[in-house]
Amino acid sequence: MDFSSGRKKSLTNTQTELYRHHLQFYDQPPLENISLGEFEAFAVDRLKLLKTVENVGVSYLKGSDQYSNKLVSELKSLNFPYRPDADDRKPQTGPSEHDKRRKDHISHFILRLAYCQTEDLRRWFIQQEVDLFRHRFDELSPQQKLELLNRNNLQYATTSVKEKILLKDELLNSSYNVSGITVEEQDFYKVPFQDALDLVRARKVYLKAGYVYIPQKDIVTIVLNDFRTRLSKSLALTARSLPAVHSDERLQPLLNHLSHAYVGQDYSIQKNVGKISLDQIDSLSGKSFPLCMRQLHQSLRENHHLRHGGRMQYGLFLKGIGLSLEQALQFWRSEFIRGKVDADKFDKAYAYSVRHMFGKEGKRTDYTPYSCMKVILSNPPSQGDHHGCPFRHSDPELLKQKLQFYKVPASGISQILELVKGMHFQLACQKYFELTHNVSADLIGPPLVIWTGVWSFRPLQKVSEAESCPHLRPHIFS
């Protein structure tokens, strides 16, 4: 689409002003046209960044040097803004600072489209974006923080020197890590108490006549609350406008896949075909299967049957770790005929679905194993089912008993349950692997890739660079 000269000039001025700053609240949606190739690339890089934010937030104390260094490294490698003082007027290698900020802006709004669809997805997206925002805000200088507040209508009044002197004892007693010297040297913001409920609840601030007095170092709490509220409202509004986006056949499959996408290293399934034998499965299930597959295998051995959801999840996993079609047919037949299914009934009712998994029937699609996100988010198990994610779908007490049965140390069980409580299901699976294999988190990768050694996820659909994505309509995000 061609812009008129006036429209182009207006758009350029808007972008110049928007990308002049290192950090923004993402209040203004992007208005330019981008190709579908760029659309996909930006989205995948943003997803990688947010996954890193989640992993680092669990592995390290938020705000620590290790935490900050890990995030800076990821921001730098993915070409997102990582230095508040960066300026295109200064010599630098790689993309310009303007291009990095443009990518940051556009990619945020693309993932809004993908992660506004369910409450679980919205909650996860908001938490990672808030943590990323906190890290970037902490990197700002006091002057840059003040400019950010003013730009986003968070213009809280600072207390006068006279008022600080009058309230010095109260400010000292109520403000954490504030001394008599720092009371005089730093600014205190006078904020309506309803805007600082977390600080009031924790008794970290002085409250008087409906206002709280917040040291400058703690103003991040107010900023984050405002950012979270704005983002939550925007996601809810975006969800209502999704039908307009889904009407575009190019965008719908891309957006639907993003919320379930695996963005780690690419592993080839074909390399593993025929690499395991049937007599290895029992021993592997006890020492090398993820918990979801271990419970499916155990149920199959005990009941000699699995329902359709369990057969699909476990069957594709076995295919992914190297079981051939002939081995798979032998495995399922030998197990089912131990139960209530004879060989003739198996051949008529079940063999077809096994051959279908391997692309030998129906559409002849060569199916890949389910991704962690698919297991977690789709087709939850009902009574009598054994598929799904035990960290997501099991009662915490039952999960605890299962981990105890599998001889996971008590301290490790507490760590896993804490991750489950925080809805970090994949990280709970990773922690289970660490504990059962006595390895460090730094030496391993994502859960199902850890367990199978294969790439068990479908890649994002490739699109032509020449195809152009219609500019994202502002009303969708507002």
Side-chain angles (χ1 to χ4, degrees), residues 15 50 52 303 405 446:
Q15 289 179 334
L50 295 187
T52 299
N303 304 316
F405 179 76

Side-chain angles (χ1 to χ4, degrees), residues 355-403:
R355 292 194 298 271
H356 190 270
M357 291 180 200
F358 283 80
K360 303 303 181 183
E361 300 286 358
K363 297 188 297 182
R364 300 189 180 276
T365 300
D366 191 14
Y367 293 99
T368 58
Y370 288 170
S371 70
C372 285
M373 292 305 293
K374 182 177 179 65
V375 173
I376 290 169
L377 296 176
S378 63
N379 190 24
S382 56
Q383 186 70 28
D385 286 328
H386 298 279
H387 65 273
C389 172
F391 303 103
R392 170 67 177 86
H393 299 120
S394 294
D395 178 81
E397 189 57 38
L398 293 177
L399 176 60
K400 180 179 179 180
Q401 294 174 15
K402 188 173 297 184
L403 294 171

Side-chain angles (χ1 to χ4, degrees), residues 200-269:
V200 174
R201 188 183 299 114
R203 300 185 178 185
K204 290 184 175 181
V205 288
Y206 177 57
L207 173 63
K208 179 183 178 182
Y211 287 88
V212 292
Y213 293 78
I214 304 176
Q216 187 178 42
K217 65 181 180 61
D218 288 333
I219 198 65
V220 63
T221 302
I222 308 300
V223 179
L224 289 178
N225 284 342
D226 190 79
F227 178 73
R228 183 189 295 272
T229 300
R230 296 190 196 193
L231 183 54
S232 180
K233 289 180 179 178
S234 296
L235 284 172
L237 291 173
T238 302
R240 297 178 195 172
S241 302
L242 270 184
V245 179
H246 284 172
S247 63
D248 190 320
E249 296 178 355
R250 299 168 299 169
L251 294 182
Q252 183 179 5
L254 230 169
L255 292 173
N256 287 341
H257 190 87
L258 273 172
S259 59
H260 298 73
Y262 165 67
V263 290
Q265 186 176 349
D266 187 351
Y267 292 80
S268 171
I269 291 176

Side-chain angles (χ1 to χ4, degrees), residues 265-299:
Q265 186 176 349
D266 187 351
Y267 292 80
S268 171
I269 291 176
Q270 283 71 24
K271 292 179 183 177
N272 291 324
V273 173
K275 290 293 180 68
I276 67 166
S277 59
L278 291 176
D279 58 7
Q280 290 178 291
I281 294 179
D282 282 327
S283 62
L284 288 173
S285 69
K287 64 182 181 181
S288 297
F289 278 15
L291 194 57
C292 57
M293 303 305 170
R294 188 174 183 177
Q295 73 176 15
L296 281 167
H297 182 78
Q298 182 179 343
S299 175

